Amino acid sequence: MTSIRGRALAFVFLAFLPLVIALGWHEVVHRNEKIDSAIEVLKHQTELLASQHGLIAATAEIILTEHSLNERKGAKAGKASSVCSSEIALNFVAQGYSVNFFRLRENGAIACSTFTFSGQRNFSDQFWFREARLSGDMVISNFLQDPITHETILFFAKSLDGEDGVAGEVVALSVNLTRLENKLFPLAARDQKHLILTDSTGEGVLHLHGTDDHGVVTEMHPVRFNIPAVSTTGTTEIIGQDGSSLIYGFAPVFTTVSGVAYLWIGANKDLVLESVFVETLVAIGILLTIILVSLGTAILGSEKFLLGPLQAMGGMAMRFGAGDHAARTGLSHDNTEVGQLAQAFDLMAETISGSESRFQAAVEASLDAIFILKSSIDEAGEVRDFRVIGVNGRAGDMFGKPRETIIGQNLCDLLPIIRTNGVFDSCVTVATTGTAVEDEFTADTPEIKADWLRFQAGKMDGHIVLSLRDVTHWKEMTKEQTRLAAHNRLILDSMGDGIFGVDLEGRATFVNPRITEMLQWTEEDLLGQNIHALCHHSTADGEPIREEDC
């Protein structure tokens, strides 16, 4: 029954195994899809944010170009200072950017600025200043550090042509990138994103983290973070300083005098997969619940509708096999498979019980002592004896013992003489070949109350059936008949008259020597022949004599 229960549970497990495999496959595929989706989203977010902040350069170029047109014909320094302030107020302050507007003379000195410096500054040694004077287009500086505030700034510069067309003064906007955190951080805070702004060498000049699990900003100051230099829009996976795997999207945001600056937006790969992990846990929980409920239902259902009935039928079969012929399943004989099987079991038990009863009645009524024997096999596979597993009442009478004391004994211990008189060998022949044997033997032994026994041995259902009959009386009668026949023969042979005996059919059954002499027939010629037809069939003149008249 345990095996059946185990097989039932295994069947239920195998039924759900495809779902488990499908869930695992879904986990792998969905994980990759989630990563691909996250990478694509990061790429689009990076492109969008880069284009939005790229508008700084476009706005700066518009301002600088407009200022260049207004001041083409030699604006004065005092007037320029006023213009510096108004340009900032109108174009950048309203947009929330922290900027400073400069007008620089040909020697790099500040002609005017939005904010007044405490000391004199000169930008003639700056590469971007020299490039602006030589180029007719706006140029963007490298990422620089303000010597006073130590903040990261970026300069947008354009030359003002003189009346003779020779490059003269330069107008410039300086944008405080550190203060761009106010515009960049909302995106960084969402989904714990990482934002990095790199120069043309791939060195990070601004690095922002989102908030941790407690809502605390993990990092809010520019850092230097070395990453591989790139040359186009795309995505990549980088191992962070803490060993975690980060997925980044990158896009160009500015083209400076030394190359392209890039904006990077990244997310922790584990955070990207966290939602997939949660979804998987939920799916696994649901599947496990279904499996457990199904297993519980299968166990309870199998106990009630399958294992219980099978146990009842198995118990009935064991009791029936142990000799309890009244054992039945006790199950309903309905139209279900189990009910029909129970009905078949009970019907089989009824049939066997009836046959067994008739067989037992026949065995008990037999005049022979009947033994049911089971072969006892040694390690070499040879039959060493026969154990008595059943007897009838006549066997008990023959041995003068209750049948219960005979059952369980070895036949050779019960009747040692069979080892030497050939009976044991005959039983071994029956056990090995299945051929029935019969014979007689003298029972010169104190174990049984008989002088002569006739035995028959045959095989039935793997057991040996041995019957013993006391033929002592028949042997004595046969002996007496033989003696009387010899005595009568002497009398017949000594008589002078011819004598013969016939049966009801008129055939000769015996003749004496005198009749053979008289008829000139031998004894062999006369025995079995119709005497009337042979020697009294007609008169002397040949007239037939009817047998009825004889």
Side-chain angles (χ1 to χ4, degrees), residues 110 116-121 148:
I110 299 175
T116 303
F117 289 97
S118 58
Q120 293 292 326
R121 295 186 60 180
I148 299 175

Side-chain angles (χ1 to χ4, degrees), residues 61 64-65 68 132 136-139 156-160 169-172:
E61 186 168 13
L64 296 178
T65 300
S68 176
D137 300 325
M138 183 187 74
V139 297
F156 299 87
K158 185 176 178 62
S159 66
L160 297 174
E169 296 181 346
V170 173
V171 289

Side-chain angles (χ1 to χ4, degrees), residues 233-253:
T233 300
T235 58
T236 187
E237 185 172 338
I238 299 173
I239 303 300
Q241 293 174 329
D242 60 353
S244 61
S245 182
L246 304 172
I247 303 174
Y248 278 95
F250 54 86
V253 63

Side-chain angles (χ1 to χ4, degrees), residues 491-492 495-501 510-516 518:
I491 295 175
L492 289 175
M495 295 184 68
D497 297 332
I499 301 172
F500 61 87
F510 67 87
V511 295
N512 68 346
R514 180 60 180 160
I515 193 66
T516 60
M518 294 173 62

Side-chain angles (χ1 to χ4, degrees), residues 89-109:
L90 291 174
N91 294 282
F92 274 94
V93 175
Q95 299 182 39
Y97 291 99
S98 176
V99 301
N100 200 352
F101 183 83
F102 296 88
R103 182 166 177 170
L104 306 175
R105 300 185 189 282
E106 292 89 337
N107 60 1

Side-chain angles (χ1 to χ4, degrees), residues 49 53 180-193 195 208-210 220:
L49 192 60
H53 290 83
L180 277 177
E181 291 172 349
N182 294 328
K183 287 188 169 292
L184 295 176
F185 184 72
L187 179 60
R190 186 169 62 250
D191 299 330
Q192 300 187 36
K193 291 289 195 305
L195 271 73
L208 298 179
H209 283 242
M220 270 290 291

Side-chain angles (χ1 to χ4, degrees), residues 54 151 349 403 493 497 500:
E151 296 176 331
R403 69 171 72 188
D493 290 348
D497 297 332
F500 61 87

